[in-house]
Amino acid sequence: MNDAWLDEVCWDEQGLVPAIAQDIHTGRIMMFAWMNRESLKLTVQEKRAIYWSRSRQRLWRKGEESGHVQQLHDIRLDCDGDVVLLVIEQLGGIACHTGRESCFYRKLSAQGEWLVTDEVLKSPDAIYQK
């Protein structure tokens, strides 16, 4: 496969594109992250989610520390070419660094408060051995 498909992505001024990870089995949105050209290309080549960490300024292979790898099943580009959707299988069932299934575990109540809707499946201290 040549790299011409990467030219159809509308990269922002930092050379990044937003990426949404969606669970193949449930359709649930697991997380949001950023990708650069290299991470997107490697994601396709390795068939696992690889993101660009803005805080660390380096590639971030999802699960490199936690073991919670995102195995790639499908990849989509939105109509404007400026958002990537990764259809993934979340190995280990945890996508969030808080130990929850999804990073989207808070819901806005009618009273204007953020309610935690998902329990911690595994303590972050047990996931990230420092």
Side-chain angles (χ1 to χ4, degrees), residues 7-78:
D7 296 333
E8 295 185 43
V9 176
C10 294
W11 307 98
D12 72 9
E13 52 280 346
Q14 285 88 42
L16 302 174
V17 66
I20 299 166
Q22 181 181 35
D23 185 271
I24 189 169
H25 302 295
T26 65
R28 185 170 188 192
I29 302 302
M30 302 303 281
M31 60 175 281
F32 164 85
W34 294 94
M35 298 180 99
N36 65 8
R37 189 178 180 98
E38 181 182 11
S39 67
L40 183 54
K41 181 179 177 179
L42 287 171
T43 292
V44 170
Q45 288 174 351
E46 296 183 22
K47 301 209 180 317
R48 68 173 286 186
I50 302 169
Y51 301 107
W52 176 255
S53 171
R54 295 182 305 163
S55 60
R56 293 176 255 184
Q57 289 293 296
R58 68 170 178 83
L59 291 176
W60 161 42
R61 284 174 167 75
K62 178 67 177 156
E64 66 190 4
E65 293 177 35
S66 67
H68 301 136
V69 173
Q70 292 177 341
Q71 192 172 51
L72 184 67
H73 285 266
D74 195 10
I75 190 163
R76 307 276 178 134
L77 186 63
D78 84 326

